[in-house]
Amino acid sequence: DVQLVESGGGSVQAGGSLRLSCAVSSFTYNPYCMGWFRQGPGHGREGVAGIYTGGGAGHYGDVGKGRFTISHDNAKKTVYLQMNSLKPEDTGMYYCTIDNRRWYGLPLATALTYWGQGTQVTVS
């Protein structure tokens, strides 16, 4: 079974930074897309950032443009999300996802099948 294991969440004061990591195992497609979505209290799951392991720049949702950076280590099969200048509205559960299709933007969460268990980010 495909497994996505996230880490790096936590509590931080506004203006601080966090780096999330997500490692994938048992995913047989290559290249592929990996990304981060988040779900805040009372909200649906929204796209934060995505990246294609075959090359190219990352895709970003409005929530993190200019503050968040997504990157990928092919050898480790791990995607990272560097989050800077965090705001209280960034609070939520952050989920990692993977897809065998190439993204040309961030897809809807409902179009994706594989998800990690989530990592909580709290900004106060």
Side-chain angles (χ1 to χ4, degrees), residues 34-82:
M34 290 186 77
W36 292 93
F37 284 65
R38 76 181 187 191
Q39 188 162 10
H43 291 83
R45 201 167 289 190
E46 60 180 343
V48 176
I51 192 165
Y52 177 58
T53 63
H59 304 290
Y60 295 90
D62 291 338
V63 296
K65 281 182 180 177
R67 300 186 296 126
F68 297 174
T69 303
I70 191 168
S71 61
H72 184 263
D73 185 325
N74 283 342
K76 295 182 179 180
K77 294 187 177 181
T78 299
V79 66
Y80 304 95
L81 184 67
Q82 178 67 43

Side-chain angles (χ1 to χ4, degrees), residues 32-121:
Y32 47 86
C33 280
M34 290 186 77
W36 292 93
F37 284 65
R38 76 181 187 191
Q39 188 162 10
H43 291 83
R45 201 167 289 190
E46 60 180 343
V48 176
I51 192 165
Y52 177 58
T53 63
H59 304 290
Y60 295 90
D62 291 338
V63 296
K65 281 182 180 177
R67 300 186 296 126
F68 297 174
T69 303
I70 191 168
S71 61
H72 184 263
D73 185 325
N74 283 342
K76 295 182 179 180
K77 294 187 177 181
T78 299
V79 66
Y80 304 95
L81 184 67
Q82 178 67 43
M83 303 188 293
N84 298 327
S85 302
L86 283 162
K87 306 174 182 179
E89 50 264 43
D90 292 319
T91 293
M93 189 70 81
Y94 283 69
Y95 296 93
C96 176
T97 185
I98 191 167
D99 192 4
N100 61 294
R101 298 164 295 184
R102 183 170 184 174
W103 300 345
Y104 294 95
L106 291 178
L108 294 175
T110 52
L112 301 169
T113 301
Y114 301 107
W115 297 95
Q117 79 285 357
T119 186
Q120 178 67 36
V121 171

